[in-house]
Amino acid sequence: ICAEERTDNRVVAFEVAARKLDKKDFFGKSDPFLEFLKQTETGWQLAHRTEVVKNNLNPIWKPFRIPMQSLCGGDVEKSIKIDCYDYNNSGSHDFIGSFLATLSQIQQASQSYAAEYECINSKKKQKKKGYKNSGVIIIKQCKIVKEYTFLDYIMGGCQINFTIAIDFTGSNGDPRSPMSLHYINPQGCNEYLAAIWAVGNVIQDYDSDKMFPAFGFGAQVPPTWQVSHEFPLNFNPSDPFCAGIEGVAFAYQQCLLQVKLYGPTNFSPIINHVAHFGREALQQQTASQYFVLLIITDGVITDMDETRTAIVNASRLPMSIIIIGVGGADFSAMEFLDGDDGILRSATGEAAMRDIVQFVPFRQFQNCPQEALAQSVLAEVPGQVTGFFNTMGLRPPHSNPPPSDLQASAPP
C-alpha cells in the first residue's frame, strides 16, 4: 500500500464517450469501461475506473471527477494512460485498446471541440496488416476545477446554522414517571438532556454565534392547548434562539413543565421550517450559509410519506438533517430515512438529489468517549456541505476567485 497526502485540491472534470469500439463478445457487442492510470516510478497506478456501459460499441460514460494529484501528481505535462476494456463477469476483462496523452494535450485539444484519440491494441496491430484502431475515445470535456474542502468553507466564512428540535410526543412516557425518557432524575438528568449536552458540545464549535433556534414538536401547548409540531422551546416565536447549549438545556427543562406530551409524531413541519431558510439561502452568490437540523426523538414517526417528501425537497438545499434516537425503541424508520442503503425516494417516487440524513442511536454511545459520538454525529456533514457547494459551484465567501483554466494548468 502506498499513501500520499492530498495537498492539491484541484480535480479534473471529465466527460468521455467512444465510438466503433471492437466487438469482443460472441453473442453481444462489448460492455466497455475505461481505466485512467497515473505514471509512477514503479509503473502504472489506477486513478479512476468508469462504470460499465452494457452492450454498446458507442458508449457514453457518466461525467466524473478525478483528483489531479491521483491522476498526474499535479503535473499537466506528465503522461496519463487510458485503457479500454470489455467487462466480463469472470473478472478476466478483455483488453480493447489504449492510448497515452498528457493533461495539457487533452485540455488544449478539447477546448474548441471534443478531443479524439485512437484506441490501439498493440497485439492486434502486430498481427493484422491493415489495422487502424480498435475504436476512438472521445474526450468531450476535460476541465481543471478547484474543489474546496470542508475546512476551506469553514475558514472562508461559511456559517453553519444549527436548529435543534425535540420530540415531546406521548410515546416518550409521562415525564413524571421514572420510566419516561423525559423524566428528570434526582441528578437533574435524562436521556434527552444527555443527548442535548453531548451532541450540542460537538456541534457548537461549528456555529460561530452559538445562538441556537430550538423547537419542540408533538405537544399540546399553552394557552390554547392545541397540538403543535413546531413551537419554540422558549415560547417566543419572534426570537426562538437560545444562548449556547446551556440555553437550550435550560429552555428544554422549563418547557417540559409547561406542555402536555401528546402526538402524533410529525417530522415534516420542522424539516419544512428549516428548509424555508435553506431555500432563501439559495440566492447566495458564495457559500455563506448552510443549515443543519438536529432532531432528538424516540424514533416513532407518524407522517412518514410527508417526511420523505420534505427530505427529498431539502436535498436540493444547503441543508443536512441529523437524527439522534434516544431510548430503546425500534429505529428502523430512522435507518430508512438515513438512506445509506440506497437513494431515499418520496412517496411519489422522486429521488433525493443527495443523502442529507444521518441517524445516530444515542444509547450505543452512552458509555463511549465523547469522540466516538462526535465522530458519528458529524461523520457525514462535512461531505454533505462540500458536496452541495462544489456541485453548485459556490466558493467560500473569503476566497480568491478561481484561476482560469490556463492558469490552473500551470504546475503549483
Side-chain angles (χ1 to χ4, degrees), residues 267-272 275 279 293 295 301 303-317 319-323 333-334 336-339 343-347 350-358:
F267 278 22
S268 59
I270 193 69
I271 295 173
N272 290 330
R279 201 161 283 112
L293 170 61
I295 301 175
I301 182 166
D303 65 337
M304 192 57 159
D305 285 356
E306 292 84 350
T307 294
R308 279 162 59 189
T309 301
I311 292 171
V312 168
N313 292 338
S315 72
R316 292 168 177 70
L317 305 174
M319 175 172 168
S320 293
I321 300 166
I322 301 169
I323 303 174
M334 305 299 118
F336 172 73
L337 293 175
D338 193 326
I343 296 172
L344 180 73
R345 291 181 182 275
S346 70
E350 193 185 354
M353 188 174 100
R354 55 199 186 99
D355 172 21
I356 61 165
V357 180
Q358 167 74 339

mmCIF file of all heavy atoms in Angstrom, residues 267-272 275 279 293 295 301 303-317 319-323 333-334 336-339 343-347 350-358:
data_model
loop_
_atom_site.group_PDB
_atom_site.id
_atom_site.type_symbol
_atom_site.label_atom_id
_atom_site.label_comp_id
_atom_site.label_asym_id
_atom_site.label_seq_id
_atom_site.Cartn_x
_atom_site.Cartn_y
_atom_site.Cartn_z
ATOM 1 N N PHE A 267 -42.573 14.759 11.665
ATOM 2 C CA PHE A 267 -41.262 15.368 11.427
ATOM 3 C C PHE A 267 -41.333 16.462 10.360
ATOM 4 O O PHE A 267 -40.529 17.385 10.356
ATOM 5 C CB PHE A 267 -40.256 14.318 10.931
ATOM 6 C CG PHE A 267 -39.617 13.498 12.023
ATOM 7 C CD1 PHE A 267 -40.219 13.367 13.262
ATOM 8 C CD2 PHE A 267 -38.413 12.840 11.791
ATOM 9 C CE1 PHE A 267 -39.632 12.602 14.258
ATOM 10 C CE2 PHE A 267 -37.814 12.072 12.782
ATOM 11 C CZ PHE A 267 -38.425 11.954 14.015
ATOM 12 N N SER A 268 -42.267 16.318 9.397
ATOM 13 C CA SER A 268 -42.208 17.189 8.209
ATOM 14 C C SER A 268 -42.356 18.677 8.523
ATOM 15 O O SER A 268 -41.669 19.490 7.894
ATOM 16 C CB SER A 268 -43.214 16.745 7.142
ATOM 17 O OG SER A 268 -44.521 16.763 7.661
ATOM 18 N N PRO A 269 -43.198 19.103 9.505
ATOM 19 C CA PRO A 269 -43.301 20.562 9.723
ATOM 20 C C PRO A 269 -41.974 21.207 10.109
ATOM 21 O O PRO A 269 -41.625 22.273 9.572
ATOM 22 C CB PRO A 269 -44.331 20.676 10.862
ATOM 23 C CG PRO A 269 -45.148 19.433 10.754
ATOM 24 C CD PRO A 269 -44.192 18.371 10.313
ATOM 25 N N ILE A 270 -41.209 20.565 10.986
ATOM 26 C CA ILE A 270 -39.943 21.173 11.422
ATOM 27 C C ILE A 270 -38.895 21.106 10.299
ATOM 28 O O ILE A 270 -38.082 22.018 10.132
ATOM 29 C CB ILE A 270 -39.416 20.555 12.755
ATOM 30 C CG1 ILE A 270 -38.280 21.416 13.341
ATOM 31 C CG2 ILE A 270 -38.970 19.125 12.601
ATOM 32 C CD1 ILE A 270 -38.708 22.750 13.865
ATOM 33 N N ILE A 271 -38.929 20.035 9.491
ATOM 34 C CA ILE A 271 -37.995 19.943 8.348
ATOM 35 C C ILE A 271 -38.316 21.072 7.355
ATOM 36 O O ILE A 271 -37.428 21.776 6.877
ATOM 37 C CB ILE A 271 -38.072 18.557 7.662
ATOM 38 C CG1 ILE A 271 -37.594 17.467 8.627
ATOM 39 C CG2 ILE A 271 -37.262 18.537 6.366
ATOM 40 C CD1 ILE A 271 -37.784 16.045 8.125
ATOM 41 N N ASN A 272 -39.623 21.255 7.085
ATOM 42 C CA ASN A 272 -40.027 22.309 6.136
ATOM 43 C C ASN A 272 -39.720 23.706 6.693
ATOM 44 O O ASN A 272 -39.417 24.633 5.939
ATOM 45 C CB ASN A 272 -41.510 22.184 5.789
ATOM 46 C CG ASN A 272 -41.772 20.942 4.937
ATOM 47 O OD1 ASN A 272 -40.907 20.509 4.183
ATOM 48 N ND2 ASN A 272 -42.948 20.355 5.059
ATOM 49 N N ALA A 275 -36.139 24.194 6.034
ATOM 50 C CA ALA A 275 -35.960 24.230 4.573
ATOM 51 C C ALA A 275 -36.323 25.609 4.014
ATOM 52 O O ALA A 275 -35.760 26.050 3.014
ATOM 53 C CB ALA A 275 -36.810 23.152 3.909
ATOM 54 N N ARG A 279 -34.038 27.542 1.509
ATOM 55 C CA ARG A 279 -34.493 27.984 0.190
ATOM 56 C C ARG A 279 -34.106 29.445 -0.037
ATOM 57 O O ARG A 279 -33.671 29.824 -1.117
ATOM 58 C CB ARG A 279 -36.006 27.790 0.076
ATOM 59 C CG ARG A 279 -36.496 27.719 -1.363
ATOM 60 C CD ARG A 279 -37.867 27.082 -1.479
ATOM 61 N NE ARG A 279 -37.783 25.623 -1.350
ATOM 62 C CZ ARG A 279 -38.275 24.944 -0.318
ATOM 63 N NH1 ARG A 279 -38.904 25.561 0.645
ATOM 64 N NH2 ARG A 279 -38.140 23.632 -0.249
ATOM 65 N N LEU A 293 -30.297 20.642 10.730
ATOM 66 C CA LEU A 293 -31.395 20.414 11.675
ATOM 67 C C LEU A 293 -31.058 19.182 12.502
ATOM 68 O O LEU A 293 -30.782 18.111 11.954
ATOM 69 C CB LEU A 293 -32.711 20.195 10.914
ATOM 70 C CG LEU A 293 -33.902 19.703 11.739
ATOM 71 C CD1 LEU A 293 -34.276 20.696 12.832
ATOM 72 C CD2 LEU A 293 -35.107 19.426 10.852
ATOM 73 N N ILE A 295 -32.569 16.643 15.110
ATOM 74 C CA ILE A 295 -33.833 16.170 15.699
ATOM 75 C C ILE A 295 -33.505 15.120 16.760
ATOM 76 O O ILE A 295 -32.820 14.135 16.456
ATOM 77 C CB ILE A 295 -34.747 15.536 14.622
ATOM 78 C CG1 ILE A 295 -35.079 16.545 13.521
ATOM 79 C CG2 ILE A 295 -36.037 14.998 15.249
ATOM 80 C CD1 ILE A 295 -35.891 15.963 12.354
ATOM 81 N N ILE A 301 -42.522 7.488 14.288
ATOM 82 C CA ILE A 301 -42.847 8.557 13.330
ATOM 83 C C ILE A 301 -44.195 8.282 12.672
ATOM 84 O O ILE A 301 -44.492 7.151 12.312
ATOM 85 C CB ILE A 301 -41.718 8.718 12.282
ATOM 86 C CG1 ILE A 301 -42.015 9.836 11.312
ATOM 87 C CG2 ILE A 301 -41.428 7.450 11.550
ATOM 88 C CD1 ILE A 301 -40.825 10.256 10.475
ATOM 89 N N ASP A 303 -45.852 10.685 10.239
ATOM 90 C CA ASP A 303 -46.054 11.239 8.878
ATOM 91 C C ASP A 303 -44.913 10.832 7.937
ATOM 92 O O ASP A 303 -44.271 11.675 7.318
ATOM 93 C CB ASP A 303 -46.187 12.765 8.944
ATOM 94 C CG ASP A 303 -44.903 13.446 9.408
ATOM 95 O OD1 ASP A 303 -44.095 12.779 10.078
ATOM 96 O OD2 ASP A 303 -44.710 14.633 9.093
ATOM 97 N N MET A 304 -44.705 9.537 7.793
ATOM 98 C CA MET A 304 -43.561 9.030 7.020
ATOM 99 C C MET A 304 -43.558 9.554 5.573
ATOM 100 O O MET A 304 -42.526 9.998 5.078
ATOM 101 C CB MET A 304 -43.586 7.499 7.037
ATOM 102 C CG MET A 304 -42.315 6.879 6.517
ATOM 103 S SD MET A 304 -40.882 7.448 7.453
ATOM 104 C CE MET A 304 -39.708 6.207 7.112
ATOM 105 N N ASP A 305 -44.705 9.531 4.909
ATOM 106 C CA ASP A 305 -44.741 9.955 3.498
ATOM 107 C C ASP A 305 -44.382 11.432 3.360
ATOM 108 O O ASP A 305 -43.580 11.822 2.504
ATOM 109 C CB ASP A 305 -46.128 9.697 2.892
ATOM 110 C CG ASP A 305 -46.342 8.213 2.602
ATOM 111 O OD1 ASP A 305 -45.384 7.436 2.807
ATOM 112 O OD2 ASP A 305 -47.449 7.840 2.188
ATOM 113 N N GLU A 306 -44.977 12.275 4.237
ATOM 114 C CA GLU A 306 -44.693 13.723 4.174
ATOM 115 C C GLU A 306 -43.229 14.000 4.519
ATOM 116 O O GLU A 306 -42.589 14.879 3.942
ATOM 117 C CB GLU A 306 -45.609 14.503 5.144
ATOM 118 C CG GLU A 306 -47.076 14.506 4.754
ATOM 119 C CD GLU A 306 -47.847 13.274 5.220
ATOM 120 O OE1 GLU A 306 -47.197 12.311 5.702
ATOM 121 O OE2 GLU A 306 -49.074 13.269 5.091
ATOM 122 N N THR A 307 -42.700 13.215 5.481
ATOM 123 C CA THR A 307 -41.292 13.406 5.882
ATOM 124 C C THR A 307 -40.357 13.042 4.730
ATOM 125 O O THR A 307 -39.389 13.761 4.453
ATOM 126 C CB THR A 307 -40.974 12.555 7.133
ATOM 127 O OG1 THR A 307 -41.745 13.076 8.214
ATOM 128 C CG2 THR A 307 -39.509 12.603 7.492
ATOM 129 N N ARG A 308 -40.658 11.944 4.047
ATOM 130 C CA ARG A 308 -39.824 11.546 2.901
ATOM 131 C C ARG A 308 -39.829 12.648 1.837
ATOM 132 O O ARG A 308 -38.777 13.011 1.298
ATOM 133 C CB ARG A 308 -40.356 10.251 2.292
ATOM 134 C CG ARG A 308 -39.911 9.019 3.059
ATOM 135 C CD ARG A 308 -40.756 7.809 2.747
ATOM 136 N NE ARG A 308 -40.756 7.432 1.349
ATOM 137 C CZ ARG A 308 -41.576 6.504 0.828
ATOM 138 N NH1 ARG A 308 -42.435 5.891 1.607
ATOM 139 N NH2 ARG A 308 -41.523 6.203 -0.444
ATOM 140 N N THR A 309 -41.010 13.200 1.560
ATOM 141 C CA THR A 309 -41.100 14.279 0.561
ATOM 142 C C THR A 309 -40.323 15.502 1.022
ATOM 143 O O THR A 309 -39.593 16.119 0.237
ATOM 144 C CB THR A 309 -42.587 14.639 0.321
ATOM 145 O OG1 THR A 309 -43.253 13.463 -0.132
ATOM 146 C CG2 THR A 309 -42.744 15.742 -0.705
ATOM 147 N N ALA A 310 -40.457 15.842 2.324
ATOM 148 C CA ALA A 310 -39.748 17.013 2.863
ATOM 149 C C ALA A 310 -38.233 16.830 2.733
ATOM 150 O O ALA A 310 -37.512 17.771 2.382
ATOM 151 C CB ALA A 310 -40.132 17.225 4.328
ATOM 152 N N ILE A 311 -37.734 15.602 2.998
ATOM 153 C CA ILE A 311 -36.287 15.335 2.910
ATOM 154 C C ILE A 311 -35.818 15.398 1.454
ATOM 155 O O ILE A 311 -34.773 15.976 1.149
ATOM 156 C CB ILE A 311 -35.942 13.965 3.549
ATOM 157 C CG1 ILE A 311 -36.159 14.026 5.071
ATOM 158 C CG2 ILE A 311 -34.500 13.561 3.242
ATOM 159 C CD1 ILE A 311 -36.066 12.685 5.775
ATOM 160 N N VAL A 312 -36.609 14.822 0.546
ATOM 161 C CA VAL A 312 -36.242 14.847 -0.878
ATOM 162 C C VAL A 312 -36.162 16.302 -1.364
ATOM 163 O O VAL A 312 -35.221 16.686 -2.068
ATOM 164 C CB VAL A 312 -37.243 14.021 -1.717
ATOM 165 C CG1 VAL A 312 -37.062 14.280 -3.210
ATOM 166 C CG2 VAL A 312 -37.066 12.525 -1.421
ATOM 167 N N ASN A 313 -37.117 17.131 -0.953
ATOM 168 C CA ASN A 313 -37.082 18.554 -1.342
ATOM 169 C C ASN A 313 -35.880 19.255 -0.723
ATOM 170 O O ASN A 313 -35.216 20.074 -1.368
ATOM 171 C CB ASN A 313 -38.377 19.269 -0.909
ATOM 172 C CG ASN A 313 -39.572 18.772 -1.704
ATOM 173 O OD1 ASN A 313 -39.427 18.233 -2.799
ATOM 174 N ND2 ASN A 313 -40.763 18.935 -1.161
ATOM 175 N N ALA A 314 -35.594 18.930 0.548
ATOM 176 C CA ALA A 314 -34.470 19.571 1.246
ATOM 177 C C ALA A 314 -33.121 19.158 0.666
ATOM 178 O O ALA A 314 -32.128 19.868 0.831
ATOM 179 C CB ALA A 314 -34.526 19.237 2.736
ATOM 180 N N SER A 315 -33.075 18.010 -0.024
ATOM 181 C CA SER A 315 -31.794 17.526 -0.566
ATOM 182 C C SER A 315 -31.256 18.453 -1.662
ATOM 183 O O SER A 315 -30.104 18.363 -2.041
ATOM 184 C CB SER A 315 -31.933 16.095 -1.100
ATOM 185 O OG SER A 315 -32.692 16.085 -2.303
ATOM 186 N N ARG A 316 -32.100 19.348 -2.154
ATOM 187 C CA ARG A 316 -31.663 20.317 -3.173
ATOM 188 C C ARG A 316 -31.224 21.637 -2.541
ATOM 189 O O ARG A 316 -30.913 22.586 -3.230
ATOM 190 C CB ARG A 316 -32.817 20.593 -4.147
ATOM 191 C CG ARG A 316 -33.145 19.385 -5.002
ATOM 192 C CD ARG A 316 -34.454 19.522 -5.751
ATOM 193 N NE ARG A 316 -34.677 18.364 -6.618
ATOM 194 C CZ ARG A 316 -34.950 17.137 -6.173
ATOM 195 N NH1 ARG A 316 -35.063 16.937 -4.878
ATOM 196 N NH2 ARG A 316 -35.129 16.131 -6.994
ATOM 197 N N LEU A 317 -31.237 21.701 -1.212
ATOM 198 C CA LEU A 317 -30.943 22.946 -0.492
ATOM 199 C C LEU A 317 -29.645 22.812 0.320
ATOM 200 O O LEU A 317 -29.205 21.696 0.590
ATOM 201 C CB LEU A 317 -32.103 23.275 0.467
ATOM 202 C CG LEU A 317 -33.496 23.352 -0.152
ATOM 203 C CD1 LEU A 317 -34.547 23.526 0.928
ATOM 204 C CD2 LEU A 317 -33.582 24.489 -1.155
ATOM 205 N N MET A 319 -28.578 22.138 3.172
ATOM 206 C CA MET A 319 -29.186 21.677 4.424
ATOM 207 C C MET A 319 -28.870 20.201 4.678
ATOM 208 O O MET A 319 -28.810 19.401 3.753
ATOM 209 C CB MET A 319 -30.700 21.881 4.308
ATOM 210 C CG MET A 319 -31.509 21.351 5.464
ATOM 211 S SD MET A 319 -33.244 21.865 5.320
ATOM 212 C CE MET A 319 -33.957 20.807 6.578
ATOM 213 N N SER A 320 -28.657 19.870 5.955
ATOM 214 C CA SER A 320 -28.486 18.469 6.388
ATOM 215 C C SER A 320 -29.377 18.226 7.597
ATOM 216 O O SER A 320 -29.755 19.167 8.295
ATOM 217 C CB SER A 320 -27.032 18.200 6.785
ATOM 218 O OG SER A 320 -26.185 18.272 5.672
ATOM 219 N N ILE A 321 -29.681 16.947 7.843
ATOM 220 C CA ILE A 321 -30.505 16.583 8.998
ATOM 221 C C ILE A 321 -29.783 15.499 9.782
ATOM 222 O O ILE A 321 -29.339 14.493 9.204
ATOM 223 C CB ILE A 321 -31.887 16.058 8.545
ATOM 224 C CG1 ILE A 321 -32.634 17.131 7.727
ATOM 225 C CG2 ILE A 321 -32.733 15.617 9.742
ATOM 226 C CD1 ILE A 321 -33.843 16.613 6.968
ATOM 227 N N ILE A 322 -29.619 15.728 11.088
ATOM 228 C CA ILE A 322 -29.048 14.684 11.960
ATOM 229 C C ILE A 322 -30.158 14.247 12.907
ATOM 230 O O ILE A 322 -30.760 15.084 13.586
ATOM 231 C CB ILE A 322 -27.851 15.222 12.776
ATOM 232 C CG1 ILE A 322 -26.739 15.734 11.842
ATOM 233 C CG2 ILE A 322 -27.290 14.153 13.708
ATOM 234 C CD1 ILE A 322 -25.637 16.517 12.558
ATOM 235 N N ILE A 323 -30.458 12.957 12.921
ATOM 236 C CA ILE A 323 -31.491 12.439 13.829
ATOM 237 C C ILE A 323 -30.799 11.647 14.934
ATOM 238 O O ILE A 323 -30.053 10.699 14.660
ATOM 239 C CB ILE A 323 -32.497 11.526 13.084
ATOM 240 C CG1 ILE A 323 -33.156 12.286 11.922
ATOM 241 C CG2 ILE A 323 -33.562 11.003 14.043
ATOM 242 C CD1 ILE A 323 -34.058 11.421 11.041
ATOM 243 N N ALA A 333 -37.408 2.944 11.070
ATOM 244 C CA ALA A 333 -37.871 4.070 10.243
ATOM 245 C C ALA A 333 -36.755 5.101 10.063
ATOM 246 O O ALA A 333 -36.570 5.673 8.994
ATOM 247 C CB ALA A 333 -39.091 4.733 10.876
ATOM 248 N N MET A 334 -35.974 5.320 11.147
ATOM 249 C CA MET A 334 -34.885 6.292 11.083
ATOM 250 C C MET A 334 -33.763 5.788 10.162
ATOM 251 O O MET A 334 -33.184 6.550 9.398
ATOM 252 C CB MET A 334 -34.295 6.554 12.479
ATOM 253 C CG MET A 334 -35.276 6.990 13.531
ATOM 254 S SD MET A 334 -36.076 8.527 13.126
ATOM 255 C CE MET A 334 -37.766 8.008 13.011
ATOM 256 N N PHE A 336 -34.151 3.891 7.690
ATOM 257 C CA PHE A 336 -34.664 4.013 6.319
ATOM 258 C C PHE A 336 -34.450 5.444 5.798
ATOM 259 O O PHE A 336 -34.008 5.653 4.679
ATOM 260 C CB PHE A 336 -36.153 3.638 6.308
ATOM 261 C CG PHE A 336 -36.840 3.917 5.000
ATOM 262 C CD1 PHE A 336 -36.600 3.130 3.884
ATOM 263 C CD2 PHE A 336 -37.740 4.973 4.877
ATOM 264 C CE1 PHE A 336 -37.235 3.393 2.668
ATOM 265 C CE2 PHE A 336 -38.374 5.242 3.675
ATOM 266 C CZ PHE A 336 -38.116 4.446 2.568
ATOM 267 N N LEU A 337 -34.754 6.437 6.660
ATOM 268 C CA LEU A 337 -34.596 7.839 6.248
ATOM 269 C C LEU A 337 -33.133 8.186 6.006
ATOM 270 O O LEU A 337 -32.811 9.054 5.205
ATOM 271 C CB LEU A 337 -35.172 8.784 7.314
ATOM 272 C CG LEU A 337 -36.692 8.746 7.533
ATOM 273 C CD1 LEU A 337 -37.086 9.639 8.686
ATOM 274 C CD2 LEU A 337 -37.437 9.152 6.267
ATOM 275 N N ASP A 338 -32.231 7.489 6.725
ATOM 276 C CA ASP A 338 -30.791 7.755 6.594
ATOM 277 C C ASP A 338 -30.325 7.545 5.151
ATOM 278 O O ASP A 338 -29.406 8.191 4.676
ATOM 279 C CB ASP A 338 -30.020 6.842 7.560
ATOM 280 C CG ASP A 338 -28.571 7.243 7.740
ATOM 281 O OD1 ASP A 338 -27.984 7.736 6.758
ATOM 282 O OD2 ASP A 338 -28.022 7.068 8.825
ATOM 283 N N GLY A 339 -30.980 6.612 4.456
ATOM 284 C CA GLY A 339 -30.691 6.454 3.030
ATOM 285 C C GLY A 339 -29.328 5.897 2.690
ATOM 286 O O GLY A 339 -28.916 5.961 1.548
ATOM 287 N N ILE A 343 -30.899 5.131 -2.407
ATOM 288 C CA ILE A 343 -31.392 6.512 -2.522
ATOM 289 C C ILE A 343 -32.789 6.607 -1.914
ATOM 290 O O ILE A 343 -33.667 5.802 -2.221
ATOM 291 C CB ILE A 343 -31.407 6.936 -3.998
ATOM 292 C CG1 ILE A 343 -29.976 6.955 -4.551
ATOM 293 C CG2 ILE A 343 -32.045 8.311 -4.174
ATOM 294 C CD1 ILE A 343 -29.877 7.167 -6.034
ATOM 295 N N LEU A 344 -32.970 7.607 -1.039
ATOM 296 C CA LEU A 344 -34.295 7.838 -0.452
ATOM 297 C C LEU A 344 -35.195 8.437 -1.529
ATOM 298 O O LEU A 344 -34.789 9.313 -2.277
ATOM 299 C CB LEU A 344 -34.185 8.796 0.737
ATOM 300 C CG LEU A 344 -35.505 9.110 1.444
ATOM 301 C CD1 LEU A 344 -35.980 7.922 2.271
ATOM 302 C CD2 LEU A 344 -35.378 10.334 2.330
ATOM 303 N N ARG A 345 -36.440 7.941 -1.583
ATOM 304 C CA ARG A 345 -37.419 8.480 -2.537
ATOM 305 C C ARG A 345 -38.638 8.982 -1.807
ATOM 306 O O ARG A 345 -38.982 8.475 -0.744
ATOM 307 C CB ARG A 345 -37.843 7.392 -3.540
ATOM 308 C CG ARG A 345 -36.733 7.014 -4.491
ATOM 309 C CD ARG A 345 -37.162 5.954 -5.502
ATOM 310 N NE ARG A 345 -36.031 5.597 -6.360
ATOM 311 C CZ ARG A 345 -35.696 6.272 -7.450
ATOM 312 N NH1 ARG A 345 -36.392 7.326 -7.822
ATOM 313 N NH2 ARG A 345 -34.655 5.912 -8.174
ATOM 314 N N SER A 346 -39.291 9.986 -2.397
ATOM 315 C CA SER A 346 -40.538 10.483 -1.808
ATOM 316 C C SER A 346 -41.631 9.455 -2.085
ATOM 317 O O SER A 346 -41.431 8.499 -2.841
ATOM 318 C CB SER A 346 -40.910 11.823 -2.439
ATOM 319 O OG SER A 346 -41.315 11.611 -3.784
ATOM 320 N N ALA A 347 -42.812 9.675 -1.501
ATOM 321 C CA ALA A 347 -43.924 8.733 -1.675
ATOM 322 C C ALA A 347 -44.311 8.624 -3.147
ATOM 323 O O ALA A 347 -44.812 7.593 -3.596
ATOM 324 C CB ALA A 347 -45.111 9.182 -0.835
ATOM 325 N N GLU A 350 -40.036 10.315 -6.308
ATOM 326 C CA GLU A 350 -38.981 11.272 -6.662
ATOM 327 C C GLU A 350 -37.739 11.016 -5.811
ATOM 328 O O GLU A 350 -37.844 10.871 -4.596
ATOM 329 C CB GLU A 350 -39.501 12.700 -6.420
ATOM 330 C CG GLU A 350 -38.633 13.764 -7.036
ATOM 331 C CD GLU A 350 -39.103 15.173 -6.676
ATOM 332 O OE1 GLU A 350 -40.162 15.333 -6.042
ATOM 333 O OE2 GLU A 350 -38.373 16.115 -7.024
ATOM 334 N N ALA A 351 -36.584 10.948 -6.461
ATOM 335 C CA ALA A 351 -35.352 10.593 -5.739
ATOM 336 C C ALA A 351 -34.699 11.820 -5.121
ATOM 337 O O ALA A 351 -34.758 12.913 -5.675
ATOM 338 C CB ALA A 351 -34.375 9.927 -6.696
ATOM 339 N N ALA A 352 -34.058 11.619 -3.957
ATOM 340 C CA ALA A 352 -33.288 12.696 -3.322
ATOM 341 C C ALA A 352 -32.077 13.006 -4.192
ATOM 342 O O ALA A 352 -31.479 12.100 -4.782
ATOM 343 C CB ALA A 352 -32.841 12.270 -1.935
ATOM 344 N N MET A 353 -31.715 14.297 -4.270
ATOM 345 C CA MET A 353 -30.555 14.690 -5.074
ATOM 346 C C MET A 353 -29.276 14.187 -4.418
ATOM 347 O O MET A 353 -28.301 13.871 -5.079
ATOM 348 C CB MET A 353 -30.526 16.211 -5.205
ATOM 349 C CG MET A 353 -29.489 16.721 -6.170
ATOM 350 S SD MET A 353 -29.613 18.497 -6.408
ATOM 351 C CE MET A 353 -28.314 19.092 -5.335
ATOM 352 N N ARG A 354 -29.273 14.129 -3.070
ATOM 353 C CA ARG A 354 -28.108 13.624 -2.332
ATOM 354 C C ARG A 354 -28.595 13.128 -0.983
ATOM 355 O O ARG A 354 -29.718 13.428 -0.568
ATOM 356 C CB ARG A 354 -27.054 14.746 -2.172
ATOM 357 C CG ARG A 354 -27.620 15.961 -1.525
ATOM 358 C CD ARG A 354 -26.812 17.226 -1.732
ATOM 359 N NE ARG A 354 -27.405 18.282 -0.925
ATOM 360 C CZ ARG A 354 -26.958 18.661 0.269
ATOM 361 N NH1 ARG A 354 -25.872 18.103 0.786
ATOM 362 N NH2 ARG A 354 -27.566 19.592 0.945
ATOM 363 N N ASP A 355 -27.759 12.368 -0.303
ATOM 364 C CA ASP A 355 -28.116 11.844 1.026
ATOM 365 C C ASP A 355 -27.822 12.939 2.049
ATOM 366 O O ASP A 355 -26.685 13.377 2.176
ATOM 367 C CB ASP A 355 -27.278 10.580 1.301
ATOM 368 C CG ASP A 355 -27.448 10.073 2.736
ATOM 369 O OD1 ASP A 355 -28.461 10.427 3.370
ATOM 370 O OD2 ASP A 355 -26.577 9.332 3.215
ATOM 371 N N ILE A 356 -28.864 13.411 2.765
ATOM 372 C CA ILE A 356 -28.637 14.513 3.716
ATOM 373 C C ILE A 356 -28.960 14.112 5.153
ATOM 374 O O ILE A 356 -28.863 14.926 6.057
ATOM 375 C CB ILE A 356 -29.449 15.779 3.344
ATOM 376 C CG1 ILE A 356 -30.959 15.511 3.365
ATOM 377 C CG2 ILE A 356 -29.012 16.338 2.011
ATOM 378 C CD1 ILE A 356 -31.816 16.772 3.360
ATOM 379 N N VAL A 357 -29.386 12.852 5.360
ATOM 380 C CA VAL A 357 -29.804 12.445 6.718
ATOM 381 C C VAL A 357 -28.762 11.520 7.338
ATOM 382 O O VAL A 357 -28.310 10.566 6.711
ATOM 383 C CB VAL A 357 -31.180 11.729 6.681
ATOM 384 C CG1 VAL A 357 -31.600 11.304 8.084
ATOM 385 C CG2 VAL A 357 -32.241 12.635 6.079
ATOM 386 N N GLN A 358 -28.392 11.829 8.581
ATOM 387 C CA GLN A 358 -27.509 10.954 9.348
ATOM 388 C C GLN A 358 -28.259 10.543 10.612
ATOM 389 O O GLN A 358 -28.721 11.401 11.359
ATOM 390 C CB GLN A 358 -26.218 11.717 9.691
ATOM 391 C CG GLN A 358 -25.326 11.065 10.727
ATOM 392 C CD GLN A 358 -24.565 9.861 10.193
ATOM 393 O OE1 GLN A 358 -24.955 9.278 9.193
ATOM 394 N NE2 GLN A 358 -23.512 9.474 10.849
#
